[in-house]
Amino acid sequence: MSYYKIENLEQYFKHYNKSIREPRKFWSKIASENFTWYQESEKIMEFDMAEAKIQWFVDAKVNIVKNCLDRHLSKRGDKTAIIFEPNNPGEAAQHITYNDLYARVSKMANVLREQGVEKGDRVCIYLPMIPELAVSVLACARIGAIHSVVFAGFSASAVAARINDCESKMVITSDGGFRGEKTIDLKGIIDDALNNCPCVEKVLVAKRTNASITMKEGRDQWLQPLLDEASDNNVAEIMDAEDPLFILYTSGSTGKPKGMVHTTAGYMVYTAYSFKNVFSYEENDIFWCTADIGWITGHSYILYGPLLNGATTVIYEGVPSYPDFSRFWEIIEKHKITQFYTAPTAIRALAKENLSYIQKYPLKSLKVIGSVGEPINEEAWHWYNDHVGGKRCPLVDTWWQTETGGILISALAFITPTKPTYASLPLPGIQAVLMDEKRNEIEDNQVTGSLCIKFPWPGIARTIWGDHQRYKDTYFSAFPGKYFTGDGALRDEVGYYRITGRVDDVIIVSGHNLGTAPIEDAINEHPAVAESAIVGFPHDIKGNALYGFVILKESGEYRDRENLMKEINQHVADHIGPIAKLDKIQFVSGLPKTRSGKIMRRILRKIAEGDFSNFGDTSTLLNPEIVEEIKDGKL
Ligand code: 6R9
C-alpha cells in the first residue's frame, strides 16, 4: 500500500492513524517511494522538543532540484513546467517546459558557481514575479546555496536588514518590475540598501523593464551575458537531509524579523505530499497560486510542491486589478486553470466590485479552489464558493504558517466535506491539540483554545537563523513539549478546526474573551459593509471596549451614517450578543495591511487608543498612506 495519495475519507483516517502510531514508518515509506535519493535515511527522525531540535531523514543525501527537474525529464521533458503570465495582457505568456527549465536552472547554477557562490553561502533574491525568480531560487538549491527571497515590495531598509541578518554575499535583482500601472525601481532600492550591507560582494541584474539604472563597477553585472556563456548542464550538489535549503523572513508582532530556516529533505517530502493531497493534484492539471514567491505560500505552492509533482504551475507577474478587476478570471479562462489558490483579502477586494467582471467568464476548467493567509469570513467564503467555484469546486481553506513549511490543517479536495470558515482536519502527521489557559490539553470538542502541534512533522522550520534561543522561546516555551502556533482555534463537534485568529487578537470586554474574527464576520454580513477590523481600547468600566474600522461597499449610498452604525451594532448583537457591541465605529476607505494581506492591528490599536506617537516598523505596509487618513478621521 502506498501512502502518497489519499483516495477517500476512510483512507484519510487510516493514514492519519498510521502516521500517529508509527510516524517514522509512515514518512519513511512516502520518502522512499516518491523521491530520488543519493542515500536513504535509516534513522528517519530524531527530536528533542525541550531543546527544539528536530531532524528528519537523518543521514539521507538528496538534492531537491534533482527531484523537481532531472527526474521528470525522461517522462515530462516537453511538458510545461511554468506558465509565465506577464503583467501586461498584451505581452505573450511564456510556456517553459521541464527541459527548458532544467537548462535555464543549470546555466544559472553554473553562473552562481563561477561567481564564487558555494554550498552554504546565502544569496538574497530580490526579483519581481518573472521566470528568473524561479530559476534563481532553483539554481541556489541546486548548488546548495541558501536562498533568502525578499519580496520585491520591501523598502531598502527592510531588504538591508534581511541581507545583513544572514550575511548574504550576493544579491540577484532586476532593472525593475511591473506591477499593474506601476514600474518599480528594484535596482535603485538595492543600491540604497547596499550602502549599508558590507557583506554583499556581487549583484547580478536581470533585465525586465529596460529602465536606465546605474551599475557599480566591480560589484554589479548584467545576468544575461553570463547566462549566454554558461553550460546548460550542471551536476547537482549532494546535500545532507538537514542542510539548510532556504531562509525566509517573517515579521513578528514585535522585534526584528525572524529568519525561519527550512532544511532540505523534510521540506521536500512535506510540500510535495501536502500539495498532492490538499489540491488533489492529477497529471494534467494546471495549478495557479496567486501568492508572491517572496512569501512561504509561493515557495511551497508555486515552486517546490508543484514541481516536485511534475505539475504545470503559473507565475503571474501582476495584480488582480490590472488592467481591470476581471484579470484573475481572464487568466483562469486563458490557461484553463484547474486549481486556483488565493487569499481572502483578494477575494474580498474582488467581491466588492461589480459581478459583471466575473460573470463574463464561465470558469469551467476549475476543479478546486483554495484559500490561505487569514481566516476567510463567511461572506467571502460564499462569494468565492458561488461565483468562482460555481458551487461545484471544493473550497479548501488551508491553515499553515511560514514556520510550518506546508499546509497543516485543511480539507483535502474531493475527500473531506467542507464547512464554511472551517479549515477542517489536520493532515496525516499533524497532531493538532488545543490548550487551555492552565496549559492543559483540552479533550472536549466545541471549545476554543491555543492551537499547538504536539509532534514534529517533516516540514517544520528548524531554527531562526543565528538565534536558536529565540526559536525555542517563541515556539516551544509557552506550552512545554509542544509547538505553539500563536493562533487560537475552535474545534467543533466532529473535530473540525476553525482558526479564530492570532491569540493576541482576543479582546477582553467586561471579562468576556471576544475574538475579533467572529465580530468582524457579523459586521461584514451587513449589506453595506465590505470589510472591517476590530480592536480594543481602554474603557473605564468594561476594561476594554471595541473600536471598529469599517470599509463600506459604495460610499454615498448609505448617507445616514447614524442609522448605519445602529444597524451594524444590531448585527453584532444578533450574531455574538450585546456584549460585543462596538463603542465606536469609524468609516474608513482602507485598512493598514501588510504586503501579504494581513491587517496590522497594532497600528489600529494605537489609533483607537489615541496614541499617535510611535507606530513601530511600518516598512512592511502595503498602503502606508492609509494610516494618515485613519488618524485624521479618528473619532
Ligand atoms: C501561509 C501563511 C501565518 C498566519 C497564521 C494564521 C494566518 C494563514 C490561514 C490563517 C486562518 C487560514 N493564517 N492561513 N488563518 N485560516 N486558512 O499565511 O503564512 O504569512 O507565516 O502567516 O496566517 O494566523 O498563523 P504566514
Side-chain angles (χ1 to χ4, degrees):
M1 182 164 122
S2 156
Y3 291 130
Y4 192 59
K5 175 73 177 80
I6 301 167
E7 301 293 344
N8 52 50
L9 195 58
E10 194 192 332
Q11 218 179 57
Y12 159 77
F13 286 112
K14 258 199 194 146
H15 288 200
Y16 187 83
N17 291 335
K18 175 83 183 175
S19 77
I20 304 305
R21 280 197 322 271
E22 294 180 284
R24 288 178 177 81
K25 271 202 184 145
F26 178 80
W27 289 111
S28 96
K29 196 163 156 62
I30 289 177
S32 173
E33 288 174 358
N34 297 283
F35 302 89
T36 303
W37 303 86
Y38 299 108
Q39 180 184 306
E40 291 195 41
S41 169
E42 278 172 18
K43 286 189 225 143
I44 306 300
M45 203 267 278
E46 283 178 352
F47 73 106
D48 174 350
M49 292 296 242
E51 286 308 309
K53 280 200 73 144
I54 296 166
Q55 291 180 288
W56 277 94
F57 308 110
V58 188
D59 297 335
K61 301 218 181 286
V62 70
N63 184 290
I64 191 171
V65 179
K66 262 188 99 86
N67 279 277
C68 287
L69 301 178
D70 309 32
R71 68 174 170 140
H72 299 313
L73 297 185
S74 58
K75 219 169 78 188
R76 305 188 178 98
D78 293 327
K79 177 177 174 174
T80 301
I82 292 176
I83 298 176
F84 170 58
E85 172 68 26
N87 179 61
N88 176 355
E91 187 181 330
Q94 292 173 28
H95 289 74
I96 303 168
T97 64
Y98 272 90
N99 281 331
D100 296 340
L101 188 59
Y102 170 81
R104 289 179 70 167
V105 169
S106 296
K107 276 174 174 278
M108 185 74 190
N110 289 328
V111 167
L112 293 179
R113 278 193 181 136
E114 277 158 27
Q115 295 296 317
V117 177
E118 290 173 13
K119 179 178 169 180
D121 287 344
R122 278 78 61 207
V123 173
C124 171
I125 302 176
Y126 187 71
L127 281 169
M129 285 283 284
I130 56 177
E132 285 82 351
L133 173 50
V135 169
S136 301
V137 165
L138 297 170
C140 284
R142 190 167 184 91
I143 65 166
I146 303 170
H147 54 78
S148 164
V149 181
V150 176
F151 173 63
F154 276 126
S155 64
S157 64
V159 190
R162 287 159 175 77
I163 288 174
N164 287 331
D165 182 72
C166 66
E167 294 169 292
S168 299
K169 79 188 239 196
M170 173 183 274
V171 175
I172 306 173
T173 188
S174 68
D175 55 356
F178 297 120
R179 258 180 96 74
E181 313 237 326
K182 288 190 230 150
T183 307
I184 299 162
D185 176 19
L186 298 178
K187 179 63 168 56
I189 295 170
I190 288 296
D191 289 342
D192 285 351
L194 294 194
N195 286 331
N196 300 308
C197 300
C199 51
V200 174
E201 295 164 14
K202 290 193 171 156
V203 178
L204 303 184
V205 186
K207 218 180 197 78
R208 176 59 182 146
T209 59
N210 284 317
S212 82
I213 56 169
T214 44
M215 297 289 274
K216 185 168 168 186
E217 187 73 42
R219 186 193 71 184
D220 304 350
Q221 297 171 85
W222 287 104
L223 180 56
Q224 196 55 50
L226 299 174
L227 290 170
D228 292 343
E229 294 294 307
S231 150
D232 58 8
N233 234 313
N234 171 279
V235 180
E237 191 78 32
I238 298 176
M239 304 296 287
D240 283 338
E242 285 295 339
D243 278 337
L245 171 63
F246 65 85
I247 301 169
L248 187 59
Y249 287 88
T250 177
S251 42
S253 41
T254 51
K256 64 173 193 168
K258 300 179 288 229
M260 303 312 306
V261 178
H262 282 281
T263 58
T264 305
Y267 177 83
M268 172 181 84
V269 170
Y270 196 75
T271 49
Y273 171 80
S274 53
F275 173 78
K276 173 86 178 159
N277 286 289
V278 170
F279 301 104
S280 192
Y281 169 74
E282 285 169 29
E283 183 64 39
N284 294 317
D285 290 346
I286 315 274
F287 185 85
W288 182 22
C289 164
T290 70
D292 194 285
I293 291 172
W295 310 123
I296 191 68
T297 306
H299 278 59
S300 301
Y301 300 110
I302 295 179
L303 294 181
Y304 288 114
L307 296 177
L308 285 164
N309 282 282
T312 300
T313 181
V314 176
I315 294 182
Y316 171 47
E317 185 180 26
V319 294
S321 55
Y322 181 77
D324 65 33
F325 293 103
S326 62
R327 188 66 190 278
F328 272 10
W329 324 129
E330 186 237 341
I331 294 173
I332 292 175
E333 209 58 58
K334 175 173 170 190
H335 297 299
K336 299 283 173 262
I337 304 295
T338 48
Q339 284 98 340
F340 176 66
Y341 189 31
T342 195
T345 179
I347 295 300
R348 284 193 298 265
L350 294 167
K352 227 166 70 171
E353 302 303 325
N354 201 299
L355 269 181
S356 61
Y357 285 116
I358 188 166
Q359 281 167 341
K360 279 189 283 188
Y361 300 95
L363 308 179
K364 286 285 185 283
S365 59
L366 285 176
K367 297 198 289 192
V368 178
I369 56 175
S371 171
V372 59
E374 52 176 322
I376 179 163
N377 54 295
E378 184 105 29
E379 201 187 355
W381 196 98
H382 285 292
W383 191 90
Y384 194 21
N385 185 55
D386 295 359
H387 297 292
V388 184
K391 295 189 183 155
R392 94 197 124 70
C393 303
L395 191 174
V396 291
D397 177 3
T398 65
W399 173 83
W400 60 297
Q401 310 175 296
T402 304
E403 296 85 339
T404 69
I407 297 164
L408 297 198
I409 303 184
S410 171
L412 309 179
F414 305 111
I415 291 176
T416 324
T418 61
K419 174 172 174 181
T421 76
Y422 280 76
S424 88
L425 298 171
L427 265 67
I430 307 307
Q431 303 195 28
V433 287
L434 294 181
M435 307 297 290
D436 67 18
E437 288 103 33
K438 299 199 183 85
R439 301 184 178 185
N440 294 320
E441 203 175 313
I442 303 172
E443 302 287 343
D444 301 341
N445 285 349
Q446 287 181 308
V447 283
T448 48
S450 295
L451 180 62
C452 289
I453 316 290
K454 66 176 181 184
F455 196 81
W457 65 99
I460 187 174
R462 303 298 195 260
T463 192
I464 292 174
W465 184 264
D467 198 349
H468 194 70
Q469 190 61 40
R470 187 173 179 204
Y471 176 73
K472 233 166 93 172
D473 294 345
T474 311
Y475 305 105
F476 293 87
S477 64
F479 301 94
K482 299 184 175 64
Y483 168 79
F484 175 44
T485 66
D487 284 329
L490 164 79
R491 192 167 54 218
D492 78 358
E493 63 289 352
V494 296
Y496 273 29
Y497 288 90
R498 178 189 207 269
I499 312 304
T500 47
R502 305 292 304 169
V503 282
D504 47 21
D505 290 346
V506 169
I507 306 168
I508 304 183
V509 180
S510 307
H512 298 265
N513 282 21
L514 299 175
T516 52
I519 304 176
E520 288 162 6
D521 271 2
I523 298 174
N524 297 350
E525 272 186 25
H526 189 287
V529 173
E531 197 178 348
S532 60
I534 304 295
V535 295
F537 69 100
H539 187 279
D540 289 348
I541 297 162
K542 305 179 186 178
N544 292 296
L546 300 180
Y547 194 120
F549 297 88
V550 176
I551 308 179
L552 295 179
K553 273 188 184 143
E554 277 146 289
S555 45
E557 204 175 301
Y558 295 88
R559 286 184 199 284
D560 187 352
R561 298 276 166 113
E562 280 297 314
N563 210 18
L564 186 55
M565 288 189 199
K566 278 193 199 137
E567 282 179 25
I568 288 175
N569 257 332
Q570 195 52 49
H571 262 257
V572 175
D574 291 347
H575 283 81
I576 317 279
I579 183 72
K581 277 193 179 177
L582 311 181
D583 277 41
K584 291 185 179 173
I585 297 178
Q586 179 180 347
F587 295 108
V588 294
S589 70
L591 294 166
K593 290 206 174 160
T594 65
R595 293 172 190 278
S596 54
K598 295 184 172 66
I599 299 170
M600 224 189 240
R601 286 172 201 277
R602 98 183 128 71
I603 293 181
L604 295 177
R605 241 176 258 136
K606 287 219 154 204
I607 295 177
E609 288 165 10
D611 171 7
F612 301 159
S613 59
N614 178 13
F615 290 127
D617 179 16
T618 52
S619 67
T620 59
L621 273 186
L622 184 65
N623 52 350
E625 69 288 348
I626 202 75
V627 177
E628 288 302 310
E629 181 207 301
I630 300 179
K631 219 168 79 180
D632 292 343
K634 161 136 191 357
L635 301 169

